[in-house]
Amino acid sequence: KERQAKAVPYLRKLVQEKDAFIQEQLKKGVIYPNQESEEFRKVIWAEAQKTLRKDLTDDQKEEFRRRIIWPYSKAFWIEGCAAPKVTGFLADIRPLAGAKPYKAQPWGMSEYDQLRTEYHIRENVAQGKMERIDPRREKVPEWASTIFCVDHARKGLLGRPVNDYRMVNSRT
């Protein structure tokens, strides 16, 4: 709790910077509408090369580009891509016999966790990965799960967002 309380000012600054970055990206719009385009493949190849092991030969790097990057470019996502969407598939998730819909109530969170969670929600909404529902204007779904953040070393102060689907999963 003390560590979180001390980190709140730094987290606020980080969230402001990240929010500004998101707004900048939104102004640019979708830069890569086709993740199978030559242009997109070149960009992700340039990014991938930064993380490849240094001991790989040029032939090994080329094989990776040819066998992974080019044929599976749709599997890679970077800033500027359209939000991931599944098309041509209709999910048929049925509740178990006698199961009643479940709406999880938000958990009480520290200021630190509230800042992180709200940031991740804004980011996902801005990227088109989530939709925010205004309960004053829209019907609230019968099923809902809680979102929160967990610490994650590579994600720094922002952590990683997690949805708690345990109650929904236990009823379907």
Side-chain angles (χ1 to χ4, degrees):
K1 297 281 182 203
E2 285 180 33
R3 180 186 62 82
Q4 286 186 359
K6 286 179 184 176
V8 166
Y10 302 104
L11 182 58
R12 279 190 194 286
K13 186 175 186 297
L14 178 61
V15 165
Q16 287 175 341
E17 291 168 3
K18 292 281 197 174
D19 280 340
F21 178 76
I22 290 169
Q23 293 308 312
E24 228 12 76
Q25 292 298 316
L26 288 174
K27 287 178 191 171
K28 292 178 184 176
V30 175
I31 299 168
Y32 308 108
N34 179 359
Q35 287 174 251
E36 294 178 297
S37 70
E38 191 76 14
E39 175 192 14
F40 179 73
R41 287 176 170 150
K42 286 179 181 177
V43 170
I44 59 170
W45 174 234
E47 289 299 314
Q49 288 183 79
K50 296 175 188 175
T51 61
L52 291 177
R53 288 189 352 230
K54 303 297 180 214
D55 63 334
L56 293 179
T57 66
D58 287 343
D59 286 344
Q60 289 171 318
K61 291 175 185 176
E62 176 56 25
E63 183 176 359
F64 179 75
R65 184 197 64 79
R66 186 178 47 77
R67 293 181 62 193
I68 304 296
I69 301 292
W70 253 238
Y72 300 107
S73 61
K74 285 177 75 171
F76 296 91
W77 190 92
I78 57 173
E79 294 295 337
C81 287
K85 291 188 173 34
V86 175
T87 59
F89 177 80
L90 179 61
D92 184 21
I93 302 170
R94 299 177 190 181
L96 297 172
K100 292 186 175 19
Y102 179 79
K103 283 185 210 169
Q105 296 301 311
W107 295 345
M109 292 187 205
S110 65
E111 180 183 11
Y112 177 84
D113 284 329
Q114 188 69 38
L115 280 167
R116 297 186 326 163
T117 302
E118 284 296 323
Y119 164 74
H120 284 294
I121 291 170
R122 282 193 308 277
E123 178 185 47
N124 283 294
V125 168
Q127 293 173 343
K129 296 177 184 177
M130 289 175 84
E131 293 178 13
R132 189 179 281 271
I133 296 172
D134 182 349
R136 295 169 296 190
R137 297 190 183 117
E138 303 170 74
K139 184 178 179 204
V140 177
E142 289 185 307
W143 298 84
S145 62
T146 304
I147 184 170
F148 58 96
C149 287
V150 295
D151 291 336
H152 191 274
R154 290 185 311 202
K155 304 287 184 178
L157 285 177
L158 289 174
R160 182 174 65 83
V162 176
N163 281 66
D164 183 4
Y165 291 114
R166 289 177 296 181
M167 294 304 285
V168 173
N169 289 343
S170 71
R171 290 169 164 82
T172 57

